[in-house]
Amino acid sequence: DLADLDNQRITMERLKTTLDGSGIVAFEQDEDLRYRWLFNAPNAADGESMEGRTDFDLFPADVAAQLGDVKKRVMLTKERETLELPVPVEDGEFWYRVDIAPLTSRGGVAAVATDVTALKESQGQLHVLMRELAHRIKNLLAVIDGIARQTAKHQTSVEGFEEVFSKRLRGLAAT
């Protein structure tokens, strides 16, 4: 009836307003994976123009196929799934975390895709820093090994080794 349609329109308007500029995309697709609606798409397409279109209309074929496989599995198993995938753009790529849920009463899927590009970039930088740190630790261990060998070569007692080695390590730490 008209009251239900008006309530649905108001709800959708609230959702659209809430998502605007958030980096979160929300959408619903039918059993054939055609969009019923889509809000806040990064390519600035409005939800109405997406009605009836598929992922193959939006994404490269490999991305669309990967999304389609997961969405079909979600409809079949009636279990939520989450995936992260890169979406190529002209000047690089965006990463999205896509949470997909089955719509058991209406058929199809509903999903939320969150832009996690900044997180992926941070993880990449952290990985580089961790590799550099591991490299520096290995170098430092090699230096310590060399100090220990040189110290042991010239000492005749454990006590003498401990005293000289300890002084050399403190000297290294002070640099």
Side-chain angles (χ1 to χ4, degrees), residues 27-132:
F27 60 89
E28 184 177 306
Q29 290 175 290
D30 64 20
E31 299 90 343
D32 297 322
L33 298 180
R34 295 193 175 281
Y35 285 93
R36 290 182 177 136
W37 54 265
L38 174 134
F39 292 139
N40 209 30
N43 60 2
D46 65 13
E48 293 172 18
S49 67
M50 293 307 301
E51 190 173 324
R53 296 178 72 188
T54 69
D55 289 334
F56 286 95
D57 298 320
L58 289 177
F59 305 111
D62 59 329
V63 173
Q66 185 179 3
L67 283 166
D69 290 345
V70 174
K71 291 171 184 176
K72 288 173 188 172
R73 191 169 53 244
V74 166
M75 288 188 291
L76 181 67
T77 64
K78 308 278 191 259
E79 298 284 328
R80 284 180 172 269
E81 286 198 37
T82 299
L83 74 150
E84 287 186 0
L85 73 159
V87 177
V89 293
E90 288 179 20
D91 58 343
E93 66 185 9
F94 284 102
W95 276 86
Y96 284 92
R97 176 182 176 190
V98 186
D99 298 295
I100 305 166
L103 293 173
T104 53
S105 62
R106 294 179 54 167
V109 295
V112 175
T114 307
D115 182 352
V116 293
T117 305
L119 177 63
K120 287 291 187 181
E121 289 170 354
S122 294
Q123 288 173 340
Q125 291 170 351
L126 183 59
H127 183 69
V128 168
L129 289 173
M130 293 299 291
R131 281 197 327 245
E132 177 64 23

